[in-house]
């Protein structure tokens, strides 16, 4: 199926060509459809013209490849000499300056050159100008290269009208007035204003206009702190009173909300704008101070909105992704070059199940990172060079020319719409006051800031230009400035009484609420087993002509069918299929993302089957009949944690009715995503009132696999939670952390994520050996109506009146302890399992302990080292709330999670299993 059936442009023919990637499926699966790219051929007359003037054509191509190196797009350059390139000399190609040339087939546009000298000047004007330059010669696709050359060479034909120029000027004036007002009224605040980069308002002005004209319905933006508030106030309908109220010491939320809130440079907007008489939804995702971390969040949120609209592979038609939802990302120059998450995001751009139809990027190039000059903060010529890794074109723009930026923005937008690929604009500008308004940049960059301090501002220069051209009078510009300053003064006066409107639990979140703070709630997540039996059967049903792997037919398909029929020995993968399939049956979409999630790290899931003859992929649950039509998306990710988890978080915050699951290959690797975990997942609700029900599956367990394949670092997640040590928790804790020991428990906790009337992120300390442990199975009775997730699993073996010792544990360690008890016949010992660690289940624990009236000692037993695992979390809560001393049994303190010496591992296992019974 063609990406477009576009009409041929001048001299161009387009024909179908083979699929560029198959991804295990020529038919497509939920979330991915193969799309044929367009074939392109240069027209015969164009080829003939180029071949007849081969050296002249090489000369033209040299400017397209190297012209940007001579372009004067830096508004604060300290270079005093102009570089010369031999590749741009006519003599390099054996050409004489007066040699006659024809430009047909060589250059686009109305410009005509009759000899080499005229052609050279024409090429210099286009590719080595003072406002714009382009890089696209590395783009492999010839159609794209021809399109970019043709449209860039005719860029100057697209001139703005005088009324439009005045609109841009007013936005720039407002941005400058905002920063001036803030400096006057709040001189000690680090506001991270837009001074020196005000032209970015022209980017957004043009972007919004182009978006509504292209029938875009929603723009999702990721943006760092620089220039964020002046943009929000001048163009995106944010009330300045909200900022002024915040700076007076109040919260940005209403007084009845117990949120810790955030700084003004992290404010967001979610507005319905009216542009050219049309409605446009605009969402700016929240950003932490970890630069660029918001980018994958915006990508995930964009894809979620595309899914809700049935775009791309989520629909029945042939339209590509991005038809009505556009992703836009702003970068800082030093951060784009320096932060590895950008490489991860670009690598995801065209990966199945992560594509969003291309993103539009703007690099706000301050030419300094904190205090480090740009050329010392990277090894590349340009800060934008990372874009070349995915062959994304780059346009460099002088920040002193807002009109040029508007034209380039329109060109970049048209490229993104035409090819649905990423494209970059590198806006060369400066920071007037250094890293923030309280900084003195002359300490480290005296020459640059000598230029900055001696020059006029971008808005003033543009206003002067328009006054000179009699487009905008000085008095009118002053009226714009004074009027906005007056408005800001009025907003400042209103700030003490301003009440922020609700910005949470709206639209698709309107039926949800905050979790209760004083109680733990319980949710019936069981279902009639006849329905679950049917769902389980459907999870391993495949077409008659499908060539399944014979081993899977025996050990996975037939084995599951037998377990379902007998209703016993239901294992983890089956329970997971029942949970996911039943949510789908109820109409929820489910997405599992991570590395090799279709099969599963431990070859246990097999939610995806691959035809052994055709390599075609098949997802059985998506062919399930009946129910309300939910679908399963299996998103095999790139080998990344931070960007992928950020992407999944973006999907989770957008739609509370979908279950989004991220599975680490091993739990240890979650540390690669720590920024996303810390600054978004566990803190997003208290900072921004932004809930999510993201599930993180983190395989964990000490199996002799040494340091990087043993521990998901339970202790770190417990440290991140706001559970109380001296009083009972409610469901309102910021993150729920469970360590389930049975398949049924896993089933119930997954279903509970969407059954509740609130949303909380869930960390599942996931099993490895338990996946196939015969003792760790469930029966059909564990899934029936009336069943639910138990925060504590009691002991069904020991007789309460005989119990003298209670061992508390969590996770798979229970089974080794139970085996050891049986071996010792230590029936005076009860073993309790904390299935939920956070919120800490004090009520259930008290209820279980109440039946043991003769206990003499309480022990906490764990596999992990003493300075790891749950020990330091459980101990104060147990002793403070139960009022009994808790003894420790487990590995001793260590600097790394696990030993890499087999004999030592075995000795440790023997010791930690025996210790609780010998204490």
């Amino acid at each position: 199926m063609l990406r477009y059936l576009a009409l041929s442009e001048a001299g161009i023919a387009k024909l179908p060509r083979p699929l560029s990637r198959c991804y295990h499926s020529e038919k497509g699966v939920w979330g991915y459809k193969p799309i044929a790219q367009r074939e392109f051929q240069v027209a015969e007359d164009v080829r003939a013209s180029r071949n007849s003037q081969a050296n002249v054509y090489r000369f033209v191509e040299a400017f397209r490849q190297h012209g940007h190196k001579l372009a004067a797009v830096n508004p604060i350059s300290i270079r005093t000499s102009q570089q010369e390139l031999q590749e741009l000399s006519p003599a390099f190609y054996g050409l004489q300056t007066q040699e006659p040339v024809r430009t047909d087939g060589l250059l686009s546009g109305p410009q005509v050159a009759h000899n080499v000298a005229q052609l050279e000047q024409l090429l210099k004007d286009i590719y080595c100008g003072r406002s714009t330059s382009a890089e696209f010669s590395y783009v492999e696709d010839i159609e794209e290269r021809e399109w970019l050359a043709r449209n860039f060479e005719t860029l100057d034909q697209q001139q703005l009208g005088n009324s439009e120029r005045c609109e841009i000027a007013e936005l720039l004036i407002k941005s400058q007035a905002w920063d001036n007002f803030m400096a006057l009224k709040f001189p000690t605040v680090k506001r991270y204003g837009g001074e020196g980069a005000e032209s970015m308002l022209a980017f957004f002005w043009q972007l919004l206009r182009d978006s509504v004209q292209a029938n875009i319905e929603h723009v999702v933006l990721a943006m760092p702190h620089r220039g964020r508030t002046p943009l929000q106030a001048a163009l995106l309908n944010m009330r300045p009173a909200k900022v002024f109220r915040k700076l007076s010491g109040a919260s940005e939320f209403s007084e009845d909300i117990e949120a810790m809130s955030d700084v003004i440079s992290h404010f967001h907007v979610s507005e319905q704008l009216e542009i050219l008489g049309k409605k446009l939804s605009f969402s700016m995702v929240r950003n932490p101070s970890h630069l660029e971390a918001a980018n994958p969040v915006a990508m995930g949120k964009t894809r979620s909105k595309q899914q809700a609209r049935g775009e791309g592979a989520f629909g029945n038609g042939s339209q590509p992704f991005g038809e009505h939802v556009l992703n836009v990302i702003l970068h800082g120059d030093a951060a784009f070059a320096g932060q590895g998450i950008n490489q991860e995001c670009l690598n995801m751009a065209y990966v199945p199940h992560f594509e969003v139809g291309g993103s539009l990027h703007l690099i706000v190039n301050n030419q300094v990172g904190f205090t480090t000059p740009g050329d010392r903060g990277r090894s590349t010529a340009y800060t934008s060079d990372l874009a070349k890794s995915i062959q994304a074109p780059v346009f460099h723009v002088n920040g002193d020319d807002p009109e040029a930026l508007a034209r380039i923005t329109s060109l970049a937008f048209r490229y993104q719409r035409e090819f649905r690929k990423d494209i970059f604009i590198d806006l060369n500008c400066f920071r007037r006051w250094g890293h923030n308004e309280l900084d003195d940049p002359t300490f480290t960059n005296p020459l640059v800031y000598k230029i900055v301090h001696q020059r006029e501002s971008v808005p003033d220069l543009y206003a002067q230009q328009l006054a000179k051209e009699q487009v905008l009078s000085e008095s009118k510009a002053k009226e714009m400035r004074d009027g906005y300053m007056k408005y800001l003064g009025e907003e400042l006066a209103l700030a003490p009484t301003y009440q922020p409107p609700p910005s949470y639990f709206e639209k698709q979140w309107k039926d949800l609420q905050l979790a209760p703070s004083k109680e733990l709630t319980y949710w019936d997540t069981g279902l009639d087993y006849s329905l679950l039996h049917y769902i389980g059967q459907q999870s391993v049903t495949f077409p008659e002509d499908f060539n399944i792997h014979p081993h899977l037919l025996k050990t996975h398909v037939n084995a599951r069918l037998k377990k379902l029929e007998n209703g016993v020995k239901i294992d983890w993968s089956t329970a997971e299929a029942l949970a996911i399939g039943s949510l789908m049956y109820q109409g929820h979409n489910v997405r599992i993302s991570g590395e090799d999630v279709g099969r599963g790290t431990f070859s246990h899931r097999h939610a995806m089957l691959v035809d052994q003859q055709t390599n075609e992929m098949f997802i059985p649950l998506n062919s399930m009949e009946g129910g309300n039509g939910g679908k399963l998306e299996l998103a095999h990710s790139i080998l990344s944690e931070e960007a992928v988890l950020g992407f999944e978080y973006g999907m989770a915050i957008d739609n509370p009715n979908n279950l989004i699951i991220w599975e680490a290959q091993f739990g240890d690797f979650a540390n690669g995503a720590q920024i996303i975990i810390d600054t978004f997942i566990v803190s997003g609700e208290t900072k921004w009132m932004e809930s999510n029900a993201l599930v993180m599956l983190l395989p964990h367990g000490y199996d002799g696999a040494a340091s990087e394949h043993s521990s998901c670092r339970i202790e770190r997640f417990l440290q991140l939670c706001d559970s109380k040590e001296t009083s009972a928790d409610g469901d309102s804790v910021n993150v729920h952390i469970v360590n389930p020991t049975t398949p049924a428990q896993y089933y119930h906790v997954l279903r509970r994520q969407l059954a509740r009337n609130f949303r909380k992120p869930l960390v599942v300390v996931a099993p490895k050996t338990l996946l196939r442990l015969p003792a760790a199975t469930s029966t059909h009775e564990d899934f029936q109506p009336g069943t639910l997730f138990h925060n504590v699993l009691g002991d069904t073996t020991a007789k309460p009146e005989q119990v003298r010792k209670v061992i508390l544990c969590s996770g798979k360690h229970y089974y080794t302890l139970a085996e050891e008890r049986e071996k010792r016949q230590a029936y005076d010992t009860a073993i309790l399992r904390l299935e939920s660690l956070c919120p800490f289940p004090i009520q259930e624990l008290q209820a279980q302990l109440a039946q043991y009236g003769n206990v003499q000692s309480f022990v906490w037993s764990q596999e992990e080292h003493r300075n790891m695992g749950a020990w330091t979390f459980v101990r104060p809560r147990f002793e403070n709330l139960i009022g009994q001393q808790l003894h420790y049994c487990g590995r001793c303190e260590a600097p790394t999670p696990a030993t890499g010496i087999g004999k030592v591992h075995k000795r440790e296992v023997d010791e930690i299993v025996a210790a609780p019974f010998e204490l």
Side-chain angles (χ1 to χ4, degrees):
M1 197 155 296
L2 295 180
R3 185 183 293 273
Y4 288 99
L5 294 174
L7 296 176
S8 297
E9 298 185 37
I12 296 171
K14 298 177 180 179
L15 301 170
R17 72 181 177 203
L19 299 174
S20 61
R21 74 163 80 217
C22 291
Y23 181 63
H24 279 186
S25 179
E26 295 182 3
K27 299 177 182 177
V29 294
W30 174 251
Y32 169 73
K33 285 181 184 176
I35 300 177
Q37 296 181 348
R38 299 173 299 192
E39 189 61 69
F40 172 87
Q41 294 179 349
V42 177
E44 272 189 42
D45 59 327
V46 174
R47 293 202 305 270
S49 177
R50 294 174 180 178
N51 290 335
S52 66
Q53 307 178 86
N55 283 347
V56 178
Y57 180 56
R58 290 171 59 210
F59 184 52
V60 172
E61 284 291 288
F63 270 88
R64 290 171 176 166
Q65 182 176 357
H66 300 290
H68 61 88
K69 299 174 185 177
L70 301 185
V73 295
N74 185 353
I76 55 168
S77 175
I78 60 176
R79 291 181 180 177
T80 57
S81 60
Q82 180 72 9
Q83 181 184 9
E84 292 187 4
L85 294 176
Q86 58 179 341
E87 296 96 325
L88 300 184
S89 168
F92 192 76
Y93 304 94
L95 300 174
Q96 303 297 320
T97 56
Q98 296 306 311
E99 185 176 333
V101 297
R102 301 187 316 276
T103 55
D104 57 295
L106 301 183
L107 278 177
S108 300
Q111 307 98 325
V112 176
H114 298 288
N115 58 41
V116 169
Q118 292 177 356
L119 177 61
E120 180 182 15
Q121 187 57 52
L122 190 56
L123 290 169
K124 285 181 177 178
D125 290 344
I126 294 172
Y127 286 102
C128 308
R130 294 193 58 82
S131 292
T132 60
S133 65
E135 290 186 274
F136 55 82
S137 62
Y138 49 82
V139 176
E140 292 180 2
D141 190 288
I142 186 173
E143 180 188 3
E144 293 181 42
R145 290 201 309 275
E146 293 284 334
W147 189 98
L148 288 160
R150 181 171 62 256
N151 284 276
F152 186 74
E153 288 164 7
T154 57
L155 189 65
D156 285 342
Q157 297 179 33
Q158 303 164 25
Q159 296 297 325
L160 296 170
N162 287 343
S163 62
E164 295 169 326
R165 300 170 77 191
C166 289
E167 287 182 28
I168 292 175
E170 184 172 10
L171 286 174
L172 268 61
I173 288 170
K174 284 182 176 181
S175 179
Q176 179 171 262
W178 171 273
D179 283 319
N180 291 343
F181 186 87
M182 292 286 286
L184 179 66
K185 301 297 182 179
F186 305 98
T188 61
V189 170
K190 297 178 182 179
R191 62 183 183 275
Y192 300 103
E195 291 167 287
E198 291 95 344
S199 285
M200 78 166 75
L201 273 294
F203 166 83
F204 284 104
W205 177 85
Q206 187 66 56
L207 171 69
L208 298 180
R209 293 167 67 91
D210 286 347
S211 293
V212 296
Q213 291 173 335
N215 295 318
I216 295 292
E217 298 173 357
H218 204 120
V219 173
V220 179
L221 171 69
M223 180 183 183
H225 47 282
R226 168 114 160 96
R228 193 176 174 104
T229 50
L231 167 66
Q232 292 169 329
L235 190 59
L236 302 180
N237 296 348
M238 183 185 73
R239 286 283 301 275
K242 176 182 176 181
V243 175
F244 302 149
R245 167 189 159 95
K246 176 71 176 182
L247 293 176
S248 70
S251 170
E252 60 269 35
F253 303 113
S254 57
E255 295 177 357
D256 61 324
I257 296 297
E258 295 182 5
M260 295 182 71
S261 304
D262 207 345
V263 295
I264 60 169
S265 56
H266 296 172
F267 278 9
H268 95 309
V269 293
S270 180
E271 289 290 334
Q272 186 87 356
L273 306 177
E274 184 169 323
I275 309 295
L276 300 178
K278 295 183 178 181
K279 300 293 185 181
L280 177 67
S281 296
F282 192 99
S283 299
M284 179 186 290
V285 299
R286 313 280 189 171
N287 68 306
S289 291
H290 287 76
L291 298 175
E292 311 291 323
N295 301 348
V297 177
M299 294 172 68
K301 186 169 185 174
T302 299
R303 186 171 173 92
S304 177
K305 293 187 178 301
Q306 291 170 346
Q307 178 177 328
R309 286 170 171 78
E311 284 193 14
F314 295 120
N316 297 321
S318 59
Q319 66 169 332
F321 281 105
E323 195 72 4
H324 298 294
V325 186
L326 174 65
N327 186 50
V328 180
I329 302 178
L330 263 65
H331 307 271
D333 52 318
F336 182 70
Q339 293 293 322
I341 196 171
N342 289 310
Q343 185 272 338
E344 297 178 20
C345 287
L346 292 181
N347 198 23
M348 285 197 299
Y350 310 133
V351 170
H353 304 289
F354 293 89
E355 57 186 329
V356 295
S359 298
L360 185 57
H361 302 258
L362 175 69
I363 300 175
V364 181
N365 189 349
N366 303 302
Q367 306 185 65
V368 63
F370 194 34
T371 64
T372 303
D375 56 0
R376 294 186 186 181
R378 60 180 186 269
S379 296
T380 57
Y382 292 112
T383 186
S384 57
D385 279 348
L386 183 61
K388 298 174 183 176
S389 67
I390 59 167
Q391 302 176 43
V394 177
F395 298 117
H396 305 282
V397 185
N398 190 322
D400 279 353
D401 192 340
E403 292 182 25
L405 178 58
R407 290 194 296 272
I408 284 292
T409 299
S410 189
L411 173 56
F413 181 86
R414 285 186 287 120
Y415 172 88
Q416 189 275 336
R417 303 315 295 159
E418 179 73 11
F419 298 102
R420 300 299 162 94
K421 289 187 174 182
D422 287 50
I423 189 166
F424 282 75
I425 300 172
D426 173 24
L427 177 62
N428 287 261
C429 51
F430 58 91
R431 285 197 313 230
R432 180 163 291 279
W433 306 115
H435 180 65
N436 60 65
E437 291 74 17
L438 309 184
D439 188 25
D440 185 350
T442 61
F443 291 153
T444 51
N445 295 285
L447 294 183
V448 168
Y449 276 90
K450 182 178 181 181
I451 297 173
V452 171
H453 291 157
Q454 290 176 349
R455 57 160 287 156
E456 294 190 74
S457 71
V458 177
D460 288 349
L461 287 174
Y462 189 51
Q464 291 169 17
Q465 175 191 335
L466 296 188
K468 184 177 180 181
E469 297 175 12
Q470 297 184 343
V471 174
L472 178 69
S473 65
E474 292 183 6
S475 60
K476 182 62 175 177
K478 183 176 184 301
E479 181 184 328
M480 291 176 176
R481 186 178 300 107
D482 293 346
Y484 195 62
M485 292 288 279
K486 180 175 181 292
Y487 166 67
L488 294 178
E490 293 169 351
E491 287 287 288
L492 180 61
L494 290 173
T497 58
Y498 173 74
Q499 292 299 314
S503 59
Y504 40 87
F505 299 130
E506 296 181 310
K507 301 175 183 176
Q508 64 267 37
W509 285 82
K510 61 183 175 59
D511 295 328
L512 297 164
Q513 61 189 39
L514 288 173
S517 60
K518 299 185 183 302
E519 64 174 337
L520 300 182
T521 56
Y522 301 89
W523 302 83
D524 180 356
T525 45
L527 290 171
D528 188 274
Y529 187 70
S530 61
L531 173 59
L532 293 178
H533 189 185
Y534 166 74
I535 292 170
Q537 289 175 324
Q538 293 300 299
S539 73
V540 288
T541 298
F542 53 88
E544 289 184 6
D545 61 349
F546 189 86
N547 300 288
I548 193 170
H549 194 290
H551 182 72
L552 289 185
L553 179 62
K554 176 183 178 181
T555 63
H556 178 66
V557 175
N558 292 339
R560 176 170 294 180
L561 292 173
K562 182 178 179 181
K563 293 169 186 175
L564 290 167
E565 184 64 30
N566 295 333
V568 295
K569 297 183 179 178
I570 296 173
D571 60 9
W572 288 81
S573 66
T574 302
E576 181 184 76
L578 297 180
I580 290 172
S582 60
L583 288 172
M584 293 167 59
Y585 195 88
Q586 292 173 322
H588 300 286
N589 295 320
V590 180
R591 174 182 166 98
I592 309 178
S593 170
E595 298 150 20
D596 198 18
V597 293
R599 185 200 73 161
T601 298
F602 308 102
S603 194
H604 66 286
R605 178 172 291 125
H606 297 293
M608 171 196 83
L609 303 175
V610 179
D611 190 298
Q612 298 300 297
Q613 299 297 323
T614 67
N615 212 47
E616 186 73 21
M617 182 168 63
F618 180 71
I619 300 174
L621 279 173
N622 282 339
S623 297
M624 179 172 58
E625 297 181 355
N628 293 320
K631 293 293 184 180
L632 170 62
E633 182 174 21
L634 295 174
H636 292 156
S637 75
I638 63 172
L639 192 63
S640 156
E641 283 76 41
E642 184 179 4
V644 173
L645 186 57
F647 191 100
E648 306 312 321
Y649 173 80
M651 295 200 73
I653 60 173
D654 183 67
N655 195 329
N657 298 313
N658 294 339
L659 182 64
I660 308 299
I661 301 173
W662 176 72
E663 181 177 59
Q665 188 184 67
F666 284 83
D668 316 60
F669 304 150
N671 58 13
Q674 203 66 51
I675 288 174
I676 302 298
I677 295 167
D678 289 359
T679 61
F680 288 104
I681 296 173
V682 303
S683 61
E685 189 174 77
T686 190
K687 289 192 298 186
W688 309 317
M689 288 299 295
E690 201 158 65
S691 302
N692 76 88
L694 179 66
V695 177
M696 289 179 281
L697 302 181
L698 308 179
H700 173 94
Y702 282 56
D703 309 315
S707 290
E708 278 76 53
H709 293 82
S710 297
S711 174
C712 73
R713 293 287 192 172
I714 297 173
E715 64 279 1
R716 292 181 180 172
F717 288 97
L718 293 173
Q719 186 187 42
L720 290 171
C721 75
D722 60 354
S723 168
K724 301 174 179 62
E725 289 189 5
T726 56
S727 61
D729 288 334
D731 279 326
S732 61
V733 292
N734 61 325
V735 58
H736 289 202
I737 304 170
V738 299
N739 195 356
T741 56
T742 72
Q745 284 281 85
Y746 179 46
Y747 159 91
H748 287 298
V749 82
L750 287 182
R751 284 188 46 79
R752 191 182 70 173
Q753 281 298 94
L754 298 188
R756 301 188 289 196
N757 59 357
F758 58 88
R759 296 292 181 260
K760 286 290 180 179
L762 175 68
V763 174
V764 179
V765 182
K768 294 185 292 183
T769 58
L770 296 194
L771 295 172
R772 294 179 175 84
L773 185 69
T777 58
S778 300
T779 71
H780 70 92
E781 295 175 346
D782 300 322
F783 302 88
Q784 299 279 15
T787 56
L788 49 88
F789 178 78
H790 296 280
N791 294 319
V792 179
L793 287 182
D795 194 316
T796 58
T797 301
K799 295 181 179 180
E801 66 275 9
Q802 297 178 358
V803 170
R804 299 294 183 271
K805 179 186 295 182
V806 172
I807 299 175
L808 289 86
C809 65
S810 188
K812 85 174 188 70
H813 189 49
Y814 162 77
Y815 291 97
T816 55
L817 291 173
E819 184 180 3
E820 182 71 13
R821 178 177 62 179
E822 190 64 28
K823 186 187 303 181
R824 293 172 177 262
Q825 296 188 353
Y827 301 125
D828 63 343
T829 300
I831 306 175
L832 303 184
R833 288 173 268 178
L834 295 189
E835 301 283 288
S836 169
L837 292 167
C838 181
F840 192 71
I842 186 61
Q843 293 92 345
E844 292 94 325
L845 188 55
Q846 288 173 329
Q848 288 291 335
L849 294 176
Q851 60 185 311
Y852 304 120
N854 301 315
V855 176
Q856 298 174 356
S857 63
F858 298 91
V859 178
W860 173 258
S861 181
Q862 65 178 36
E863 289 187 297
E864 299 83 8
H865 292 278
R866 187 168 186 147
N867 56 322
M868 304 172 196
W871 162 242
T872 56
F873 179 85
V874 172
R875 182 186 184 184
R877 288 160 180 79
F878 185 90
E879 294 186 348
N880 291 337
L881 301 174
I882 300 296
Q884 298 286 339
Q885 184 179 8
L886 189 63
H887 300 279
Y888 173 80
C889 284
R891 287 175 168 87
C892 63
E893 294 85 349
T896 190
T899 179
I901 304 171
K903 292 181 178 179
V904 174
H905 170 74
K906 186 178 184 307
R907 186 181 70 240
E908 288 177 344
V909 170
D910 293 340
E911 290 174 351
I912 65 171
V913 172
F917 298 96
E918 297 173 355
L919 187 67

